[in-house]
Amino acid sequence: MTLTELRGVIPPIVTPFDEAGELDTASLRRATNYLIDNGVHGIFCLGSTGECAALTDVERITIVKTVVEETAGRVPVLAGITETSTRRTIRLGQMVIEAGAQAVVVAPPFYHMNSQDELLTYYRDLAAALPVPIIAYNVPVLVKTPLEPATVEILAKEGTILALKDSGGNSNILRDYIMRTKGIPGFTVLTGMEFLVDTAIQMGAHGSVPGIGNVAPAEYVELYNLSCAGEYAKARELQERLIKLFEICYQGSPKLSGSASALSGFKSAMRWLGVIETAKMAPPLGSLNAEEEEKVRQVLVDLGFLK
């Protein structure tokens, strides 16, 4: 896979912290190798799963540098640069590119809502200012403004964006993205909806960006391969097992997908698997207590991920 076309499984890597709440680069290096050793096609730093909005600039740059160094060219490294304005996004983009990121992932600016015309200008300005490919990111639940399919089609046709990651949660809109862009050479659509990877690939998506792929990277790679090979019954069986794995995300409070407890479930599972040292979250995001972490362990045991 090259950066002229993004395909496959590209997990948004978690951001590990030590007991004191400081960035744990040793665990980050282990997590990087855990993903690569299990066959992923790329690594996405500073995504929602990586608690990007809670990090300082120093932490962000340290994360990108660490992952780039540990990856050592084995897979592409992408970095999220979603910010509140064009200037701030360009500034962060320049920083992560200097740190070694080979592409940037950008949702619409958060806080203020934007029109689709403003988004067209936004992505064009970023493309003019940053010397690496741009992956647009649709995640309206976190940034308020959706990327409408017609907007994505325009940006894709003119070459402003290389790919789209869709975490909007609407399979009808995902299909619209795919249909509008399928004739554009090299353009790819990646789904962030971990429950629907098999379905998305049948519809024509080119891969996934699964947060829970931090816990089960080999299984998401297998799911991608089965789906691409047309082994739909086997893919569906594996997809359903991975849906059951999501019970790790519902052990804390609030029990909401995308909440701090969901992300802490990822980290707790990775701690039980020996990949990272703690399940600590970036304050004020809360971490699971000992009883909740034990429930995560039991889910892993019940599904055969842990003995």
Side-chain angles (χ1 to χ4, degrees):
M1 184 176 72
T2 71
L3 288 185
T4 58
E5 187 175 76
L6 284 172
R7 290 177 176 265
V9 179
I10 307 172
I13 194 168
V14 301
T15 297
F17 298 99
D18 62 21
E19 289 290 350
E22 299 299 321
L23 187 64
D24 180 358
T25 55
S27 287
L28 182 60
R29 290 181 185 278
R30 284 198 300 276
T32 299
N33 284 303
Y34 177 66
L35 295 177
I36 295 174
D37 291 346
N38 280 286
V40 304
H41 304 88
I43 294 178
F44 170 26
C45 305
L46 310 183
S48 305
T49 300
E51 301 166 70
C52 58
L55 303 173
T56 67
D57 282 349
V58 171
E59 288 170 334
R60 290 170 175 170
I61 300 313
T62 301
I63 289 164
V64 175
K65 285 183 176 178
T66 301
V67 172
V68 168
E69 181 180 311
E70 197 64 29
T71 298
R74 289 177 288 172
V75 297
V77 176
L78 289 54
I81 59 169
T82 299
E83 259 286 4
T84 54
S85 70
T86 302
R87 290 180 183 177
R88 291 175 65 88
T89 305
I90 290 172
R91 169 184 167 274
L92 181 55
Q94 291 168 336
M95 292 167 64
V96 301
I97 292 166
E98 184 177 351
Q102 294 157 274
V104 292
V105 184
V106 193
F110 60 91
Y111 194 83
H112 296 292
M113 294 185 72
N114 294 103
S115 70
Q116 297 300 302
D117 283 343
E118 287 171 334
L119 293 184
L120 289 171
T121 300
Y122 177 65
Y123 283 97
R124 288 164 180 162
D125 287 346
L126 298 183
L130 300 175
V132 298
I134 294 172
I135 294 90
Y137 181 12
N138 182 56
V139 60
V141 69
L142 295 181
V143 303
K144 296 184 180 180
T145 308
L147 272 165
E148 294 180 1
T151 301
V152 171
E153 181 182 7
I154 291 169
L155 294 171
K157 282 182 175 177
E158 66 190 25
T160 300
I161 58 176
L162 174 68
L164 172 77
K165 178 195 173 185
D166 174 41
S167 295
N170 187 317
S171 57
N172 293 336
I173 293 176
L174 173 62
R175 185 182 287 275
D176 201 0
Y177 288 137
I178 293 167
M179 290 175 65
R180 285 174 178 268
T181 60
K182 63 183 178 181
I184 302 172
F187 189 82
T188 56
V189 177
L190 308 170
T191 181
M193 295 184 282
E194 294 109 317
F195 282 27
L196 296 173
V197 172
D198 59 338
T199 303
I201 292 175
Q202 287 184 54
M203 287 195 297
H206 306 89
S208 66
V209 187
I212 205 168
N214 282 278
V215 179
E219 286 75 10
Y220 269 96
V221 171
E222 183 182 1
L223 177 59
Y224 170 75
N225 290 335
L226 288 171
S227 300
C228 288
E231 298 281 350
Y232 298 132
K234 291 180 180 179
R236 182 174 65 250
E237 182 180 354
L238 179 53
Q239 178 74 85
E240 290 173 355
R241 179 170 178 247
L242 291 168
I243 290 171
K244 292 177 182 177
L245 180 60
F246 260 86
E247 281 300 312
I248 67 174
C249 299
Y250 307 132
Q251 303 309 321
S253 181
K255 292 178 170 58
L256 300 172
S257 179
S259 67
S261 65
L263 301 182
S264 190
F266 294 167
K267 285 187 170 181
S268 177
M270 294 177 75
R271 184 184 75 80
W272 285 115
L273 293 170
V275 180
I276 63 177
E277 290 295 325
T278 81
K280 293 284 186 182
M281 301 289 288
L285 300 178
S287 304
L288 299 183
N289 61 35
E291 181 181 355
E292 292 162 345
E293 286 214 56
E294 174 58 27
K295 291 178 180 177
V296 169
R297 187 192 70 81
Q298 191 59 54
V299 172
L300 295 173
V301 171
D302 290 346
L303 291 173
F305 288 93
L306 189 68
K307 294 183 179 179

